[in-house]
Amino acid sequence: MMEKNTNNPSEFDINALIKPYLSRWYWFIMGIVLAIILALLYIKFSLPVYNVRSAVLIKDAKKSFGAGVGNMGVLEGLSGFGGMSTNSIENELEVFKTKKLARDIVVLNHLQTSVYSTSGIVKKELFGDTSPIIIHIVNDKKNKEYPKEAFFIHFEDNQLLLESKEYNLSQKIVYDKYISLPFANIIISKNKFFDKEKAGEIGNGLEVYFNTLEGAASGVQKLIQVDLADKDATIINLSVNYPQTDKAKKILTSLIDSYNKDAILDKNSEAQKTKEFIDQRIGKISIELGNVETEKERFKTDHMITDLMTEAKINLESSADARKKQLELDAQLELNNDLISFLNKQNSYQLLPVNIGLENHESNTNIAAYNKLIIDRNRMLENATPQNPLIQDITQQINSMKRSVAESLEKNKVALQFALNEYQSEQNKIESRITKIPHQEKLFRSLERQQQIKESLFLLLLQKREETAISLAVVAPKARIVEPVFVSDKPVAPKKMIILLVSLILGCIIPFFIIYLKELLNTKINSKNDLKLLTKIPIIAEIPAIKNNVDHIVKNNDFSQLAESFRILTTNIGFLLPKTLESKIIFVTSSIKGEGKTFVSMNLALSLTNSNNKVVIVGTDIRNPQLQRYNNGKNPGKGLTEYLYDKNTFVDEILFKNPANDKCDIIYSGTIPPNPTELLTNGRLGVLLEQLRARYDYIIVDTAPLLLVTDTFTFVKYADLELYVTRSNFTDKKLIEFANDSVESGKLNNVAFILNDVTKQNFGYGNKYGYGYNNK
């Protein structure tokens, strides 16, 4: 039955939405199978990536010595051990990530070159004892770029053949000889630790990639993963994910070694500066002490002094405490003055000596803080320039702290001098009571006091020098390895299950999007549902697509799908044609050429003939005649053009039997005229149709396309029914608007759509339930 379309956009047809996907179910099967095959090939030919890990403990100096050695508390004040402590574990995390350590790793392990085996499908990186050669980059050439493509090395007896397509280079080289390349100078050596059994099959050639120092360091930085084991601990986890486990282990080992080396250098820099100061002071004090002892010896000889007077002994004993304090203050004042002199003479941003015996807490604290800022600034300069805002900020802090140190020393000097004056005043009072002591004894005591001062200062400096030497001798690493470098048992990549799952999802999604885009970009009518959404004109038939090797003509007693569709068409035509008419004129038209007007006209006529109706087909498309193709492309004689042109031509002269069925007559278009529109409007066509009404039950008129020419509109008034043919996957959806406009404007009346060439998946009820006759 025919079906009217309400064209209600609010109706949502879920079946129409999913039909394009269900009809192409095999796309999804093929997509999934192909995706899984590709995933399995990727897994098979991908190098497994292993996780190489280690863990280090960043030691705190005070905790380490307090817990480990009970009798070394005296050494806690040594400047060298102060450099071992860490203020923030987050700072140490960042130190492990610095470019400087990465550069040290690259230089130490020759990582500017990567060597690969060309044997097999998958390239395998060779490193350490699996590489038969070691490539040393002696130096880079100025302003020369490194190659982007690989070099190839082939083994020939005791020589190597070095080739490069990028540089058009082919050169025989000898081991351990200087080689000049366009970008660098290198030396290639045999690896004496090469393990052939471990390396496996590597073939007769190698593939070598060169990289700049900065590029290789950046690559190492990206590989290293640093994180804190626990927020409350100072244990740092280090890991590298890489296919070549020997290379990954070497990177982690070198990272820890380089970190410890830099930490020890930082620690020793302050102690070394203190040692230099102490050595300088010991040399000076030793000369001064020798001079005092010489003067004392000369004084005793000149004045023949052998013993002290009893009165002087009694007075000196009573002032022993005062004199002791005076000596200590003199020593402190001397140290204080020396520090002031050293501070004024030294260059900017140099470390100050600490813990040399100065008994002033404020000055010692300021000096320790100043030295810490100097060390922090030097460390930051390794990875930044002096113009860096952080460097400038810490420089300002250093300048401010230096002024604080100078001020504290000056204050201490004033205080010492004041205290010394007090004790000196007390001593003068005691000496004033020694009226019987010879003047020579007073001078001798002065020399003896200078000797004692120099001796006490000399002994103090010797003690501090030994303590500083011990600090320099202690080179315990700052990062203690708590988890040696080890390789994971199973590879971390490729993750087989995830890859298979992703491939399965992609195998479904990609066909879905292809179909979705195809449907989205498709402007053609595919099915009846597409046509229903575009027009209110009834759709009375779907004509199935016919294969090329199948006859396109409806025959007698034909039960094919094509014949059944035309039976449905003839039945639905009966509902549209007026019942009062004995003879019906049916126009078959379309918007453009190629939509199947002639095919529908011929088979509709044959289907009506099988019902014992008298039927004639009239070919009115005199511009592009198509009915002749059913007569092997031959025009048997006069046609419509001759009838319209010559009034002496009669109907019987242009009537011929249909080649497909002699029960049906046919009027061919005739000769193509130069003025088709004038012929169709001269009135003769109306006369012809009236004469045919008297002879036939059905007159099928095969017309010209409406959108291309206006011929059909000139005589459409004769039609009792207009069948508007559209073609699946051919007719553009925009063309339906033309048909709608023609009906709404009154140019066409009593119109019904036919959808031609419908594929099986787009077919309507017939595809779902089957006709039931054509498979017998």
Side-chain angles (χ1 to χ4, degrees), residues 60 117 154 193 279 286 289 335 392 478 625 630:
D60 183 87
S117 168
H154 302 281
F193 300 107
D279 289 340
S286 63
L289 184 58
L335 281 176
Q392 293 179 352
K478 184 176 182 179
Y630 291 99

Side-chain angles (χ1 to χ4, degrees), residues 39 42-43 49 241 491-502:
Y42 174 78
I43 293 171
V49 177
N241 291 334
V492 295
K495 298 183 182 298
K496 297 181 181 179
M497 295 307 298
I498 294 178
I499 292 175
L500 290 174
L501 180 61
V502 170

Side-chain angles (χ1 to χ4, degrees), residues 567-582:
R567 288 191 186 99
I568 293 174
L569 174 60
T570 57
T571 302
N572 289 335
I573 286 174
F575 292 102
L576 296 176
L577 288 170
K579 304 295 183 182
T580 57
L581 295 177
E582 294 184 0

Side-chain angles (χ1 to χ4, degrees), residues 105-106 108-117 124-134 191 193-195 198-199 242 244-251 254:
I105 295 170
V106 171
L108 184 63
N109 299 291
H110 310 293
L111 299 185
Q112 280 186 254
T113 58
S114 300
V115 181
Y116 292 86
S117 168
K124 179 176 64 174
E125 185 173 5
L126 307 177
F127 182 82
D129 56 2
T130 62
S131 175
I133 60 173
I134 298 176
N191 185 2
F193 300 107
F194 176 59
D195 188 340
K198 181 180 178 180
Y242 202 69
Q244 226 306 337
T245 56
D246 289 342
K247 184 175 182 178
K249 290 165 68 176
K250 199 67 176 178
I251 288 174
S254 301

Side-chain angles (χ1 to χ4, degrees), residues 294-577:
T294 301
E295 289 180 11
K296 182 180 176 182
E297 180 183 1
R298 188 184 305 115
F299 184 87
K300 284 185 176 183
T301 302
D302 293 342
H303 297 86
M304 294 181 294
I305 297 175
T306 57
D307 196 8
L308 300 175
M309 298 177 63
T310 305
E311 295 85 355
K313 183 177 181 181
I314 294 172
N315 288 320
L316 290 175
E317 288 177 354
S318 64
S319 63
D321 293 337
R323 186 168 65 252
K324 181 180 179 182
K325 290 291 184 181
Q326 187 179 2
L327 292 173
E328 292 177 357
L329 290 173
D330 281 335
Q332 289 293 314
L333 184 59
E334 182 77 6
L335 281 176
N336 195 83
N337 290 335
D338 288 340
L339 280 175
I340 291 174
S341 176
F342 181 81
L343 180 64
N344 292 332
K345 291 180 180 179
Q346 75 154 356
N347 296 328
S348 298
Y349 314 125
Q350 291 186 355
L351 296 173
L352 295 176
V354 296
N355 296 321
I356 60 174
L358 185 63
E359 297 178 357
N360 183 270
H361 178 72
E362 181 182 359
S363 297
N364 288 333
T365 301
N366 289 340
I367 290 173
Y370 176 82
N371 286 343
K372 182 181 180 304
L373 290 174
I374 291 296
I375 292 174
D376 291 344
R377 182 179 184 271
N378 291 338
R379 177 180 288 186
M380 293 174 69
L381 281 173
E382 292 179 358
N383 295 295
T385 64
Q387 287 73 29
N388 189 287
L390 294 176
I391 301 298
Q392 293 179 352
D393 181 63
I394 199 169
T395 301
Q396 293 177 0
Q397 295 180 39
I398 290 170
N399 295 334
S400 176
M401 185 57 67
K402 185 176 182 180
R403 290 192 294 270
S404 298
V405 171
E407 290 174 0
S408 64
L409 290 175
E410 289 294 334
K411 289 178 182 179
N412 189 44
K413 176 182 177 182
V414 172
L416 289 172
Q417 189 64 52
F418 179 78
L420 186 61
N421 291 338
E422 289 293 324
Y423 283 108
Q424 185 66 44
S425 176
E426 183 180 353
Q427 186 69 15
N428 290 337
K429 291 178 182 179
I430 297 173
E431 289 181 352
S432 66
R433 292 194 295 267
I434 308 175
T435 57
K436 296 181 181 180
I437 299 177
H439 180 65
Q440 294 84 356
E441 184 67 20
K442 182 179 179 180
L443 296 176
F444 180 77
R445 290 301 181 187
S446 177
L447 291 173
E448 193 175 47
R449 183 171 63 251
Q450 291 183 28
Q451 180 187 18
Q452 291 174 352
I453 291 172
K454 301 300 181 183
E455 284 180 349
S456 62
L457 183 58
F458 185 75
L459 293 174
L460 178 63
L461 290 174
L462 286 177
Q463 180 185 359
K464 290 300 178 182
R465 184 171 69 175
E466 290 303 314
E467 292 175 353
T468 305
I470 294 173
S471 173
L472 287 171
V474 176
V475 290
K478 184 176 182 179
R480 181 167 64 87
I481 299 176
V482 295
E483 185 75 75
V485 178
F486 69 95
V487 182
S488 60
D489 296 333
K490 297 181 179 179
V492 295
K495 298 183 182 298
K496 297 181 181 179
M497 295 307 298
I498 294 178
I499 292 175
L500 290 174
L501 180 61
V502 170
S503 67
L504 182 64
I505 294 173
L506 290 176
C508 295
I509 290 177
I510 292 176
F512 175 84
F513 275 106
I514 292 175
I515 296 171
Y516 173 77
L517 291 174
K518 185 177 180 181
E519 293 295 318
L520 186 66
L521 300 175
N522 183 23
T523 61
K524 308 296 183 182
I525 296 173
N526 295 320
S527 64
K528 182 193 290 185
N529 289 326
D530 294 339
L531 193 55
K532 285 167 61 178
L533 295 173
L534 299 173
T535 183
K536 295 180 180 180
I537 300 172
I539 305 165
I540 63 172
E542 292 177 277
I543 309 301
I546 306 301
K547 297 180 181 180
N548 292 330
N549 58 351
V550 177
D551 198 348
H552 291 190
I553 297 297
V554 175
K555 303 182 182 301
N556 290 327
N557 301 319
D558 193 345
F559 297 104
S560 66
Q561 193 176 31
L562 176 66
E564 290 295 337
S565 65
F566 275 99
R567 288 191 186 99
I568 293 174
L569 174 60
T570 57
T571 302
N572 289 335
I573 286 174
F575 292 102
L576 296 176
L577 288 170

Side-chain angles (χ1 to χ4, degrees), residues 58 86-98 226-236 259 379:
I58 306 300
T86 177
N87 294 324
S88 172
I89 191 64
E90 285 76 13
N91 291 341
E92 305 308 318
L93 287 173
E94 295 304 318
V95 170
F96 274 107
K97 300 176 184 178
T98 56
V226 184
D227 58 79
L228 200 59
D230 188 89
K231 64 179 181 178
D232 297 325
T234 59
I235 295 179
I236 295 177
Y259 173 83
R379 177 180 288 186

